[in-house]
Amino acid sequence: MNIGQTQLRILEGTKGKTAAVAWAKQTMQAYRKAVLTSRKRGFASPHFGSLPEYRRSFISFYLYLKQYIRKQEETTNDK
């Protein structure tokens, strides 16, 4: 379990699933922006998340968050 997954669990336990989903959505936006802020896209100072050595882990966690949100929304809709 990485730090982001731990953060989600802590938020679920302390503030509830709604807060965890909100954090996940906000973090997804930040990770997406970080990966896309690269020199290839014309940015003078790229975010380190767009660098090859970090890009994979950023995208991987982004996809994890996307899956987490989908699972939480399906659980909510099933009730």
Side-chain angles (χ1 to χ4, degrees), residues 31-60:
Y31 272 51
R32 185 174 193 279
K33 183 178 179 183
V35 168
L36 295 177
T37 306
S38 68
R39 286 217 160 102
K40 290 179 183 178
R41 288 185 161 65
F43 291 93
S45 56
H47 189 280
F48 75 92
S50 70
L51 301 175
E53 58 267 29
Y54 299 103
R55 186 176 176 92
R56 176 172 280 180
S57 62
F58 269 65
I59 292 171
S60 176

Side-chain angles (χ1 to χ4, degrees), residues 9-16:
R9 301 299 171 243
I10 290 170
L11 280 170
E12 284 179 3
T14 58
K15 296 186 179 183

Side-chain angles (χ1 to χ4, degrees), residues 5 8 20-21 23-29 31-32 58-74:
Q5 292 168 325
L8 282 171
V21 169
W23 180 84
K25 288 179 178 180
Q26 182 179 7
T27 303
M28 271 181 62
Q29 290 175 345
Y31 272 51
R32 185 174 193 279
F58 269 65
I59 292 171
S60 176
F61 191 59
Y62 172 90
L63 293 173
Y64 172 82
L65 291 172
K66 191 172 186 175
Q67 181 182 26
Y68 172 82
I69 292 167
R70 186 178 302 132
K71 181 180 175 186
Q72 296 306 318
E73 288 175 347
E74 286 173 1

